[in-house]
Amino acid sequence: MSLQEKLLRLFSLDQKVRGIQGRLDSATNRLKVQQTKLSQLHQQRDELLSQLKLGQAKASSLEKEVEDIEQRIEHMRQQMQSVKSNKEYSAVLLEANTLKANKDSLETEALEQLNHVESLAQDLNQILERVAQQEKLVTGAQSEVQQCRDEVGKQLEELTAQRSEAEQDVPEEVRLTFNRTAYMHDGATMAPVIEASRRHLEYNCGGCYMTIPVERVNATMVASETQVVCCPNCSRILYIDQELKTSIGCK
Ligand SMILES: [Zn+2]
């Protein structure tokens, strides 16, 4: 097997591995998106729960204050029955009225607080419903990932092994170039030389479609076993397919 054939074999396996890995990655990414949404909803739920607790505590402390004032007013009513002078009576009455006014405003506050608590509880219910729905979506995405793993896991393992084997067949320097270019172009590592015009000796890169100097095309034709020729523009590793090789060879 020539270096070009070895590289094309590696390229084909690399693309298969990437294709399968891509399917797994997108399933995993979809799961991550759903999990992130779920954890945002959990945060909102926890925040609402703590607001609700605070609100309930505040409401019951207001109610307690109202009760205390009621008791004090009741105590004053009894006091009034035993007052001995008008002056004393007026003083107790004034105090009782002040307490009543306080009580009214506390009651209003307590009512507002209870309304607030009620609306928090409604919000919390809505969030809990959304949490439940989101949990279903997460479960769905989890089984999608699992299903994908079940379907392609074994195949991916085999292809990955074949890919490493094919990689070992290629000289180290070329392997480095291959992997660097693969990384740079997301797997679109190799590109065929495309003949634009034989008469004008014009050739293009099948990856970026820019012109390739004819010396590079010739260098690609010469089957080196240690070196590859890359596109001067996009750096993809160039190859000449059999059809072009034959047709150039036969010109
Ligand atoms: Zn190119």
Side-chain angles (χ1 to χ4, degrees):
M1 218 190 268
S2 70
L3 180 61
Q4 181 179 298
E5 283 164 341
K6 286 176 185 168
L7 276 172
L8 284 171
R9 177 166 170 259
L10 173 60
F11 180 46
S12 150
L13 285 165
D14 186 66
Q15 290 204 309
K16 283 180 190 157
V17 168
R18 279 171 189 273
I20 293 176
Q21 191 62 57
R23 268 183 68 192
L24 265 176
D25 287 350
S26 17
T28 312
N29 286 339
R30 280 195 292 275
L31 172 61
K32 274 188 199 150
V33 169
Q34 302 298 3
Q35 280 171 330
T36 307
K37 280 187 191 163
L38 181 60
S39 76
Q40 282 166 350
L41 285 170
H42 280 161
Q43 270 179 14
Q44 288 180 33
R45 178 200 61 192
D46 296 346
E47 177 61 28
L48 271 173
L49 265 171
S50 70
Q51 281 182 28
L52 187 65
K53 270 188 196 160
L54 275 176
Q56 281 166 336
K58 202 172 168 194
S60 45
S61 114
L62 284 166
E63 282 171 331
K64 176 83 177 53
E65 278 184 67
V66 170
E67 273 172 32
D68 286 350
I69 289 182
E70 273 169 352
Q71 278 174 8
R72 282 168 67 193
I73 291 172
E74 184 51 37
H75 179 69
M76 287 188 145
R77 272 202 196 105
Q78 289 164 5
Q79 245 185 314
M80 275 180 205
Q81 286 166 2
S82 57
V83 290
K84 293 185 177 69
S85 69
N86 263 342
K87 200 181 163 193
E88 209 183 328
Y89 181 80
S90 304
V92 176
L93 187 65
L94 180 68
E95 207 185 333
N97 284 340
T98 312
L99 280 176
K100 266 187 197 162
N102 267 352
K103 188 190 126 187
D104 288 348
S105 88
L106 280 171
E107 270 175 343
T108 311
E109 211 185 319
L111 192 66
E112 282 167 1
Q113 194 56 38
L114 283 172
N115 286 338
H116 178 55
V117 165
E118 200 179 313
S119 103
L120 284 174
Q122 280 173 2
D123 291 350
L124 181 63
N125 273 339
Q126 281 178 0
I127 288 286
L128 289 176
E129 267 174 40
R130 287 174 62 195
V131 164
Q133 282 169 1
Q134 193 56 37
E135 276 167 352
K136 279 184 199 156
L137 290 177
V138 167
T139 312
Q142 273 166 340
S143 47
E144 201 195 325
V145 169
Q146 193 50 51
Q147 198 186 335
C148 197
R149 283 211 185 105
D150 292 346
E151 276 170 23
V152 298
K154 181 109 187 69
Q155 200 188 354
L156 181 61
E157 214 174 281
E158 283 166 11
L159 282 167
T160 307
Q162 286 174 26
R163 187 202 176 283
S164 344
E165 221 176 275
E167 204 183 30
Q168 294 308 315
D169 271 356
V170 171
E172 198 182 341
E173 210 178 308
V174 176
R175 198 187 312 156
L176 282 173
T177 307
F178 183 93
N179 287 333
R180 197 178 49 229
T181 316
Y183 178 76
M184 201 158 66
H185 289 292
D186 245 340
T189 321
M190 296 185 71
V193 172
I194 293 172
E195 190 174 54
S197 157
R198 184 162 315 170
R199 201 149 68 91
H200 297 108
L201 291 176
E202 265 178 37
Y203 295 92
N204 296 337
C205 161
C208 67
Y209 301 100
M210 298 297 278
T211 306
I212 307 167
V214 73
E215 312 81 71
R216 290 222 183 196
V217 179
N218 288 334
T220 313
M221 282 287 286
V222 177
S224 161
E225 285 312 302
T226 50
Q227 278 182 333
V228 287
V229 180
C230 295
C231 166
N233 183 55
C234 69
S235 310
R236 285 180 175 87
I237 298 173
L238 295 170
Y239 68 91
I240 297 192
D241 62 25
Q242 198 50 52
E243 201 183 331
L244 182 61
K245 210 179 268 181
T246 317
S247 97
I248 294 180
C250 294
K251 73 176 170 183

